[in-house]
Amino acid sequence: MQTVGKPGGFRDPKRYLWALGLIAPACALLPSQLVYRTGAEAFWWIGPVIVLIAIPVLDWIVGEDGNNPRDEDYEALSRDRYYRWCTYLFLPIQLIGLLLACAMWAGNDLDVVDKLGLATTVGFVSGIGINAAHELGHRVERAERLLSKIALAQSGYGHFFVEHNRGHHARVATPEDPASARMGESLWEFLPRSVIGGFRSAVQLERARLARKSLGWWNPGNQILQAWSMSVLLFGSLVLVFGPAIVPWLALQAVIGVMLLETVNYVEHYGLLRARKPNGRYERCSPRDSWNSDRLVTNIFLFHLQRHSDHHANPGRRYQTLRSTSESPQLPAGYATMILLAAVPPLWRAVMDPRVAAHYGGDLSLANVAPVKQRRLLARYRAPA
């Protein structure tokens, strides 16, 4: 793996590429201009076209990233505020796009199909916005954590701020984690389990935190209520300005955003299980417990989310310092491509089940297998004698 840097300093070859990550929120700004200039109404669907077609193709053409930051450059990279502004700027672009979309949903210039395309595009921006919130929510700075909650407002998924940081990271790659998919579990089985389980977990975690401080649920310090109130304020303001006609489109884009996030969750930990210690506790999360991909284009588009193994092993690292290691199990393609595979369960299983089995040397007793599929999968992938 090639490292970044040179004696007496460091050079990040992707430094100015990170600004391209702002193409994602700009997807909601582009449709009206592209349709106006070209007359092609297909541009209302530009969000899914970019994420599900253009990026997989570019991943295939451009290939692997292959650049890791050097250990001696870690502090300088972490302190460089340029990288933070790449995520900060995501929010205003995202919200301006939402405002423009609301104006078009409220008007009579678009037919239902065009409004549906625009809602889908805005929903993809909302889902990718949760990834920006994910990066900001891991930081200790109060301002960045506030920005994380604001980024989650568009999807109405504010409890993710609590569940991801205090739930998912503690239980990742275990059967107890609703956001860790089990081998044999289809995406469509996983989605309701993760959404409902994540909501319950967030409420339990925040209730317990408040109880330790002798505070009730309705205390202003409740982080879930803080995040949800931002969604109420955002949606309420938009409805007051643009009218109730935008309500179904706001709801649709939020659902699409959440589904995109949870599909990525499905990809990230499918079938992986942390080993147990002799005392029954799980071992500390290691790079072996998350699926990794190092395709350059998706790395830029998702702020290194694909280097998920290093993120879970070292959650305090900022996105620009994350590394790809040979210890991590590798996906056969970038996240954008894997999302398409996940939507077709037989295709997903044909690609991923053998990889899970190979990761554990054929011994699926070491994997996180769906209980109802255990007998069939254990029979199919027998441990070596």
Side-chain angles (χ1 to χ4, degrees), residues 53-88:
I53 299 176
I55 289 181
V57 170
L58 287 171
D59 266 341
W60 178 70
I61 294 172
V62 175
E64 296 286 324
D65 185 332
N67 287 291
N68 275 341
R70 304 184 309 179
D71 290 341
E72 56 265 40
D73 297 333
Y74 173 79
E75 292 297 333
L77 276 172
S78 297
R79 289 194 304 266
D80 191 333
R81 299 192 70 84
Y82 164 79
Y83 297 97
R84 303 187 194 189
W85 279 103
C86 289
T87 52
Y88 295 169

Side-chain angles (χ1 to χ4, degrees), residues 66 117 249:
W249 305 111

Side-chain angles (χ1 to χ4, degrees), residues 11-278:
R11 179 184 62 84
D12 179 4
K14 292 180 289 188
R15 178 179 178 84
Y16 298 107
L17 293 178
W18 293 116
L20 296 177
L22 298 176
I23 290 174
C27 283
L29 300 174
L30 294 173
S32 59
Q33 292 302 309
L34 292 172
V35 173
Y36 172 75
R37 293 178 183 279
T38 67
E41 295 184 350
F43 280 117
W44 296 117
W45 298 84
I46 193 171
V49 168
I50 288 177
V51 174
L52 301 179
I53 299 176
I55 289 181
V57 170
L58 287 171
D59 266 341
W60 178 70
I61 294 172
V62 175
E64 296 286 324
D65 185 332
N67 287 291
N68 275 341
R70 304 184 309 179
D71 290 341
E72 56 265 40
D73 297 333
Y74 173 79
E75 292 297 333
L77 276 172
S78 297
R79 289 194 304 266
D80 191 333
R81 299 192 70 84
Y82 164 79
Y83 297 97
R84 303 187 194 189
W85 279 103
C86 289
T87 52
Y88 295 169
L89 289 173
F90 196 104
L91 275 69
I93 298 173
Q94 176 185 355
L95 292 175
I96 291 170
L98 179 62
L99 285 171
L100 291 177
C102 287
M104 288 182 279
W105 288 328
N108 297 316
D109 295 336
L110 305 184
D111 61 26
V112 172
V113 174
D114 291 341
K115 288 183 178 181
L116 180 61
L118 179 58
T120 304
T121 289
V122 174
F124 271 70
V125 172
S126 179
I128 298 169
I130 299 176
N131 178 51
H134 163 261
E135 169 64 23
L136 294 165
H138 275 289
R139 311 282 69 89
V140 297
E141 290 84 350
R142 182 174 296 181
E144 290 185 270
R145 293 167 72 84
L146 174 63
L147 290 174
S148 174
K149 294 173 186 175
I150 294 173
L152 290 166
Q154 182 176 330
S155 61
Y157 220 51
H159 60 278
F160 173 84
F161 178 86
V162 170
E163 160 56 19
H164 180 80
N165 292 311
R166 290 192 264 137
H168 176 58
H169 269 267
R171 298 180 299 229
V172 65
T174 71
E176 291 77 26
D177 179 31
S180 292
R182 300 160 181 170
M183 184 180 183
E185 180 180 40
S186 75
L187 171 65
W188 310 111
E189 293 168 322
F190 169 80
L191 285 174
R193 183 173 72 82
S194 185
V195 170
I196 296 170
F199 172 81
R200 288 174 176 169
S201 173
V203 171
Q204 292 168 358
L205 287 166
E206 187 62 4
R207 196 183 298 278
R209 186 186 73 85
L210 293 169
R212 289 194 296 271
K213 296 185 173 185
S214 300
L215 300 174
W217 176 257
W218 298 105
N219 187 276
N222 185 322
Q223 294 182 340
I224 293 179
L225 294 184
Q226 289 173 2
W228 284 347
S229 66
M230 292 180 186
S231 291
V232 171
L233 178 62
L234 175 64
F235 292 167
S237 299
L238 292 173
V239 171
L240 283 174
V241 172
F242 297 105
I246 69 170
V247 170
W249 305 111
L250 281 176
L252 178 59
Q253 65 84 29
V255 169
I256 291 171
V258 169
M259 288 184 64
L260 182 61
L261 163 76
E262 294 293 355
T263 302
V264 172
N265 272 339
Y266 177 81
V267 169
E268 289 171 336
H269 303 286
Y270 178 80
L272 301 181
L273 181 66
R274 279 149 59 190
R276 286 186 183 270
K277 300 177 182 178

Side-chain angles (χ1 to χ4, degrees), residues 14 18 65 87 127-136 138 160 164 168-169 260-269 290-312 317-324 328-329 331 333-336 339:
K14 292 180 289 188
W18 293 116
D65 185 332
T87 52
I128 298 169
I130 299 176
N131 178 51
H134 163 261
E135 169 64 23
L136 294 165
H138 275 289
F160 173 84
H164 180 80
H168 176 58
H169 269 267
L260 182 61
L261 163 76
E262 294 293 355
T263 302
V264 172
N265 272 339
Y266 177 81
V267 169
E268 289 171 336
H269 303 286
S290 306
W291 289 102
N292 220 59
S293 177
D294 205 28
R295 299 303 196 279
L296 176 60
V297 174
T298 307
N299 269 354
I300 296 298
F301 198 71
L302 295 180
F303 296 109
H304 265 165
L305 181 66
Q306 293 186 132
R307 293 186 172 182
H308 209 61
S309 298
D310 196 23
H311 167 68
H312 269 282
R317 281 182 169 264
R318 290 184 178 272
Y319 73 89
Q320 68 270 23
T321 68
L322 291 173
R323 304 153 299 181
S324 185
S328 310
L331 293 168
Y335 276 15
I339 287 171

